[in-house]
Amino acid sequence: QVQLVESGGGSVQAGGSLRLSCGVSGVTYKWYCMGWFRQAPGKERERVANIYNAGGSPYYTDSVKGRFTISQDNAKNTLTLQMNSLKPEDTAMYYCAVKPTVASSWCSSGYIHWGQGTQVTVSS
């Protein structure tokens, strides 16, 4: 049973940083995507970043490129999102998610395992 538990959210001022962590357990797929998504009130859920365990470059949505970094620590079973230079428009509930897939090109959608989310609020 896959379990994902996010932590690290909070309230910061614009320009600040936060580091989100997702504790991962129960993933036995050979190939899979792991990603961070966010959803602000009244908006659709958005893929922020993802990695593919078989390799390749991480994906970042345009609005976070150069500011956010996704990484996976296999030894600690943790997926991390380092968020720097935060902006008010980054305010959202952030979720980590996992999708089994044989190709990184399929990491854009269709995630089947989700955490409960952690709130990020950026004030101006």
Side-chain angles (χ1 to χ4, degrees):
Q1 177 177 344
V2 176
Q3 290 190 324
L4 307 172
V5 180
E6 301 95 335
S7 61
S11 298
V12 296
Q13 290 190 327
S17 298
L18 283 173
R19 186 178 181 88
L20 304 184
S21 294
C22 177
V24 181
S25 62
V27 175
T28 59
Y29 307 116
K30 184 175 183 180
W31 312 121
Y32 56 89
C33 313
M34 294 183 68
W36 286 96
F37 291 74
R38 65 186 179 187
Q39 187 166 22
K43 294 188 177 181
E44 293 187 354
R45 187 170 59 196
E46 173 188 30
R47 180 175 53 140
V48 176
N50 74 258
I51 58 174
Y52 184 54
N53 77 312
S57 299
Y59 163 87
Y60 296 96
T61 192
D62 286 345
S63 62
V64 308
K65 286 180 180 177
R67 300 189 298 123
F68 291 11
T69 303
I70 188 172
S71 60
Q72 181 181 14
D73 185 334
N74 290 325
K76 297 182 179 179
N77 295 322
T78 302
L79 181 71
T80 300
L81 185 68
Q82 177 66 44
M83 306 187 296
N84 299 326
S85 302
L86 283 162
K87 304 176 180 180
E89 50 263 44
D90 295 318
T91 295
M93 184 72 79
Y94 283 71
Y95 303 88
C96 68
V98 171
K99 172 186 178 179
T101 183
V102 297
S104 61
S105 58
W106 295 348
C107 288
S108 60
S109 63
Y111 287 71
I112 62 173
H113 302 289
W114 294 86
Q116 83 289 349
T118 186
Q119 178 67 39
V120 172
T121 303
V122 185
S123 58
S124 58

